[in-house]
Amino acid sequence: MTTAIAQDTITLTINGKTVTAASGKTILQVCRDSGIYVPTLCYDERLEAYGGCRLCLVEVKGQGRPLSSCTTPIREGMEVTTDSDRITRLRKTVLELLLSNHPNDCMLCEKAGACTLQELVYMYGVRYDNYYGEMWNLPKKDDNPFISYDPNKCVLCGRCVNICQNVVMKGTIDMTGRGFYSKPDTAFGKPLTPDICVFCGQCVSACPVGALTEKQARGKGRVGSVERVRTTCTYCGTGCNFYLNVNKGKIVKVTSDYAAPVNKGNLCVKGRFGYDFIQHPDRITKPLIRREGVTDTSPEVLKDPMAVFREAEWDEALDLVASKFMELKNKYGPDSVGGFSSSRCTNEENYLFAKWVRVALNTNNVDNCARV
Amino acid sequence: MAGLATSLGAGAASNSLEQIKDADVLFIFGSNTTEGHPIVSLHVNAAIRNGARIIIGDPRRIDLVKFSDVWLNLRPGSNIALLHGLIHIILRDGLQNDEFIKNRTEGFDELREAVKKYTPQYTQQITGVSVDKLEKAARLYAKAKNAMILYGLGVTEHHTGTENVMAIANLAFTCGHIGRPSTGIMALRGQNNVQGASDMGPAPNVYTGYQYVSKPEVREKFERAWDVKLPTIAGLKSVEMFDRAIEGTFKGLFTMGADTAHTDPNINHIWKAFDALEFFVVCDIFHTHTTRFADVILPGASFAEKDGTFTNGERRVQRVRKAIEPLAGMAEWQVLQELSKRMGFEMNYTHPSEIMDEIASLTPNYGGISYERIEKQGIQWPCPTKDHPGTTTLYELQFNRPSGKALFVAVEHAGSGELPNTEYPYVLITGRRLQHYNNGSMTRRVRGIMELSPEETIEINHADATRLNIAHGEKVRVSSRRGEIYVKAEVTQRSQAGNVFLAFHFEDALTNILTSGVRDPIAGTPEYKACAVRIDKL
Ligand code: SF4
Ligand code: SF4
Ligand code: SF4
Ligand code: FES
């Protein structure tokens, strides 16, 4: 959310390499733009940098102490080093501290494989048993349809609170409690309900660890076992992008596409959690033909559609549709038939549908529901 | 969208959504953005955090009202009076952008005449909005550096919907608030691909890209590409098809993906039409009120089962990608192709990307679009050539009308098609709720969503509830001249006294039994936003 105001450019060096970037950017942003890796935990592109985790430390020549790259703006002639013995030592200490109050639960954790803490601990070779401290043992919370919260896994990065307050502007959750016991929660620890929470799941998408996870997806496949397919939401016309997570032919979860031009990883309750319908048992999966002699069209039909329709193979159904339309067209003329398509369908389908009406029915009697 | 087409020459949002955050004034009109377009509302939030001033025009106390500087709480159906009242004040105080009016518009004198009578007092009388609020809103909007108007279905779903949009355009032109980044008019429309469906030309008078069927050179281009002789006169609008079905002259209909028997207003009329058809084919993914009239139901494929594109509300053409195989074995593009073959017209696409290539070759605005180019990120049309980057801001240099200038249209306040009376004393506004979507066939099948929002409720103001002796949560009868439904009451300050609100997401509480068949005669859009009802205690 940082907006570069001044347009002039600045030249600096990072790890000895000369880089030019727009002024107003932070060291971290410039590193990322130039493909230089700097570890982060509390940084989220959608948020103003918070500067709380101290993992993104870098050395800047002439500065006695390392600086957090996510909050430090670039300056002309700056000489930045992203790795040094001192920085590695400091980062390790941060990680050791975090591990000291973190359950050893990666085996069963939904986030394993996509967890920033797990990744960094692996990268820096921090051992689990190096540091003993008091551990939280707080109850897990999932008394709502979509969001599971395990406060014991929280690393206090503040991203969930920050995004709920400043991007969603709901303020549903905040840092509660003091000192060692401070953690994100709702006021008075109340369950998430529609009057306080819009269930957008932005908090879940911001959490770098397994503290906030998608409840419906539990046990259905972690990052290593799913295929992620980037697509566009089927609900409203905003056009949010996201990843459908597919495990053995089943859609098990939706995850954020942080590079999406419109939504930058944010979604609403429908986009993020509204995928159950796709493989719902109510789906019509075979062509259906009205049974001979059955004329009922009343709302009763919905109670038992199979009393009114029978299953058919595609060939039979398509032959019937084709011959019926040909018959009507020949008998009453092309103006007696037509088609109605919808904004639910893709561009390609709408195009083909209109083409089919114009070409095969030979009429311009084609409309769509976009008036609505 | 006919309104914008007349005023500007094109019926699409003028800017990209990304630009909302840099506007200094946002006028949000007839859009409960927080619920209808939640992610657009995050862009609005960003603007608020950047210090933007907010004007809300809505009969309901929607969530965004709490962040607003002025809430124009107009009576349903008084949009034109409100907008022309604002223009009146702007002209009275000399806050208009004379240079813009002179260089880039036509028809200003007529407009100046038309708004004369909309004095603040007269406007207050019609709209119910206080003079103070009108004065404040007019000044905020007129003095903005970059002002954007975001309007929703609360503007278009009236029988004067087209004129309402023209009045919005009049306001923007008066102040020159269009044609620059973060300055313009954004239409927030209902469904995911309404922009794309409009662009693709399943419409009685145009082919893709709004190219007229009646123009011989256009028709010949399509005849060459499709290798057939095409009909020369425009076809029937859907409403006309339904009317003629009842008359007995329209016999066969194929509906793809629309649940008209649930979502259209005055559905009893639609049900009669579907009953009268000799042959009715419906393609859908679930049984709906529409499929129950079908002779043949063809299974549809959900968005997860096919490749394709959707065009969003900012004209961005984006990829839809197949994640699983179609549950019924075929997606719609394959079904249409099979059907066409059986009727003697070969279609042999092996992948939807080839269909897009054909669209691009026939549609100037989509000329540069291909799956390859939009693989990483969607492109906003107009994108005429393969090396064109797409267009984020429309009308920077000229408008799409033949003269290149925008047109002021001197529309008049006409009110709603159906007004409350003693028998039906309340105005029913219909709309959407955050958790649900349209006929609800998808969202009602998401367990968690049903836990959050299990049934329809009618929003009614405290004052009205007290008068009717109705308690929060009590079941009531809502009836109009066309029918009745039974729902629980949600007693609230959101709806103002005299207005009630219903969504239309449930199968057993069919809101559209109540809504009127009055339509916007120009666009054909139904008047969902105002009909007269009565509420009875049971
Ligand atoms: S789901 Fe959205 S509103 Fe609810 S707590 Fe998370 S970020 Fe806040
Ligand atoms: S719950 Fe997750 S996002 Fe929130 S503070 Fe803890 S670790 Fe950070
Ligand atoms: S995620 Fe929500 S806001 Fe985004 S396109 Fe889907 S329904 Fe619309
Ligand atoms: S990422 Fe910079 S301090 Fe956390």
Side-chain angles (χ1 to χ4, degrees), chain A residues 147 160 163-164 168 170-173 192 196-204 273:
Chain A
I147 298 170
C160 56
I163 205 160
C164 185
V168 188
K170 268 312 258 188
T172 310
I173 46 178
L192 293 176
I196 56 169
C197 167
V198 293
F199 293 98
C200 60
Q202 253 67 274
C203 49
V204 178
F273 297 120

Side-chain angles (χ1 to χ4, degrees), chain B residues 128-253:
Chain B
V129 180
S130 71
V131 172
D132 279 1
K133 287 182 165 187
L134 294 169
E135 298 272 355
K136 186 168 176 197
R139 268 193 301 277
L140 264 181
Y141 181 78
K143 290 186 175 166
K145 270 217 320 281
N146 299 309
M148 279 174 105
I149 302 177
L150 275 52
Y151 76 85
L153 300 175
V155 167
T156 45
E157 287 179 356
H158 284 282
H159 82 114
T160 57
T162 302
E163 285 101 333
N164 290 349
V165 175
M166 293 171 178
I168 286 182
N170 289 343
L171 176 65
F173 302 161
T174 303
C175 302
H177 287 333
I178 189 152
R180 282 174 286 132
S182 299
T183 310
I185 305 176
M186 305 292 285
L188 304 177
R189 303 166 77 187
Q191 303 188 38
N192 57 330
N193 199 31
V194 319
Q195 185 67 54
S198 310
D199 297 345
M200 288 303 109
N205 59 339
V206 290
Y207 303 113
T208 58
Y210 312 93
Q211 306 177 79
Y212 284 96
V213 163
S214 56
K215 281 205 176 147
E217 67 276 17
V218 170
R219 197 168 57 238
E220 279 154 23
K221 176 172 81 173
F222 280 88
E223 285 181 335
R224 268 195 309 278
W226 293 348
D227 197 20
V228 284
K229 238 10 261 124
L230 289 168
T232 55
I233 49 158
L236 302 172
K237 289 186 202 150
S238 57
V239 226
E240 294 164 338
M241 292 188 232
F242 303 149
D243 289 347
R244 293 210 188 173
I246 294 174
E247 285 163 18
T249 56
F250 187 81
K251 304 289 188 180
L253 178 67

Side-chain angles (χ1 to χ4, degrees), chain A residues 254-366:
Chain A
V254 162
T255 49
S256 284
D257 171 11
Y258 301 97
V262 176
N263 59 306
K264 316 257 183 303
N266 298 319
L267 291 169
C268 81
V269 60
K270 297 187 285 292
R272 193 181 300 281
F273 297 120
Y275 53 83
D276 274 6
F277 78 90
I278 298 170
Q279 287 164 307
H280 194 280
D282 289 352
R283 280 286 302 272
I284 302 172
T285 55
K286 289 213 108 186
L288 301 172
I289 297 177
R290 184 170 280 271
R291 290 180 192 274
E292 205 67 48
V294 179
T295 54
D296 190 7
T297 60
S298 75
E300 290 301 303
V301 174
L302 289 176
K303 293 199 179 127
D304 182 15
M306 294 318 286
V308 175
F309 298 98
R310 66 174 172 83
E311 286 191 348
E313 294 305 321
W314 276 109
D315 272 330
E316 185 193 359
L318 289 171
D319 285 345
L320 176 64
V321 173
S323 63
K324 266 308 236 181
F325 272 109
M326 294 295 264
E327 182 193 318
L328 291 175
K329 179 174 117 181
N330 293 333
K331 198 158 141 202
Y332 304 106
D335 286 344
S336 70
V337 288
F340 187 64
S341 88
S342 108
S343 340
R344 312 281 316 120
C345 303
T346 62
N347 288 330
E348 291 74 4
E349 289 160 356
N350 270 297
Y351 171 80
L352 269 202
F353 188 77
K355 179 173 174 180
W356 172 76
V357 171
R358 292 190 157 111
V359 168
L361 301 182
N362 206 239
T363 170
N364 282 318
N365 289 346
V366 60

